[in-house]
Amino acid sequence: LAAEESHEFEDKKEQVHLSSSDTVAGETVSNMLDFLSKELVRKEEKEKLQALSRHATDMRRSRETEESGKRQAEEKVRAREDEVYRQVVKAHYGSATSFVDAVMESSLDRIASGTAMDELRQNPELARALLDAAQATPRTTESLTRDLVASFLTPSAEVVKEKQAVAEQELRYVDAAHKAIDDTVEGVVRRD
């Protein structure tokens, strides 16, 4: 009986030992499977996030490329429109200059003719002298016109010279005033 009890005790002891080993192994395997399951979920989530990030990056690059192309096209159109505008302004400026020159020339001719006629009416002696000079020496109309215009322009040239002298004198005063203002401003800036 003691041998049987000892044998039963040994069997129970071995069963408890196997049971404990199985429990420890089961918990270890359970923990390992739980860890692996969580790692698998984490890896899948990480892959999803990476795929989402790649997709977002690809979309951003695509949009940037598209916007860059649009911007370049807009800049080309703007440059072309600016060039057209410059050409139109240049043409208008040229037309306006030509028109003003034509009007000035016409006006000057009319005024010069009117002034010459007034001078001749006021000074009949000059008219006779010019007529005698023209009949005495065969001259071309151009040389006669040149002499006549020169006799009228000489007083005008003197007026222009006087105006230039006055302008130069005024420029000296303006320069002196600018220098005084600059010196005053520098003094104020230095104090600050």
Side-chain angles (χ1 to χ4, degrees):
L1 193 67
E4 241 180 63
E5 280 183 10
S6 165
H7 186 59
E8 278 182 24
F9 179 72
E10 285 296 321
D11 281 342
K12 281 194 178 196
K13 187 177 171 183
E14 195 174 314
Q15 281 180 350
V16 168
H17 185 356
L18 284 174
S19 181
S20 296
S21 293
D22 287 345
T23 301
V24 168
E27 280 187 31
T28 303
V29 168
S30 172
N31 287 341
M32 180 64 80
L33 288 176
D34 185 46
F35 173 76
L36 290 175
S37 172
K38 288 177 182 176
E39 281 298 308
L40 179 63
V41 169
R42 189 184 67 77
K43 181 182 174 213
E44 288 173 351
E45 288 295 318
K46 182 179 175 183
E47 287 174 355
K48 283 180 188 177
L49 289 175
Q50 286 175 342
L52 185 62
S53 173
R54 278 193 302 273
H55 179 69
T57 302
D58 291 344
M59 285 182 65
R60 181 178 46 93
R61 284 187 184 141
S62 172
R63 285 183 183 149
E64 285 175 353
T65 304
E66 201 175 290
E67 288 174 9
S68 175
K70 285 180 183 178
R71 198 174 314 115
Q72 287 176 352
E74 288 172 358
E75 287 173 2
K76 284 181 181 179
V77 168
R78 191 176 309 118
R80 201 172 350 173
E81 288 173 350
D82 288 347
E83 183 60 29
V84 167
Y85 176 77
R86 276 193 291 277
Q87 294 297 329
V88 167
V89 167
K90 186 177 177 182
H92 286 311
Y93 181 77
S95 298
T97 302
S98 298
F99 176 73
V100 168
D101 288 346
V103 168
M104 291 285 291
E105 188 177 331
S106 170
S107 297
L108 285 174
D109 286 345
R110 211 169 1 105
I111 291 170
S113 296
T115 304
M117 293 305 288
D118 289 344
E119 283 284 325
L120 290 175
R121 283 189 196 113
Q122 291 174 2
N123 193 350
E125 295 167 2
L126 176 64
R128 251 185 242 115
L130 288 172
L131 185 58
D132 290 343
Q135 290 174 350
T137 57
R139 297 173 114 186
T140 62
T141 306
E142 289 178 18
S143 65
L144 185 59
T145 305
R146 189 175 339 120
D147 292 342
L148 188 58
V149 169
S151 69
F152 291 118
L153 288 182
T154 303
S156 297
E158 291 171 3
V159 169
V160 169
K161 281 184 181 179
E162 287 176 14
K163 285 183 181 179
Q164 285 177 344
V166 169
E168 287 175 8
Q169 191 174 15
E170 287 177 356
L171 185 60
R172 280 189 229 134
Y173 292 128
V174 170
D175 287 342
H178 279 273
K179 188 173 189 279
I181 291 171
D182 289 342
D183 292 343
T184 305
V185 170
E186 280 184 29
V188 170
V189 169
R190 285 183 192 151
R191 281 189 227 144
D192 289 342

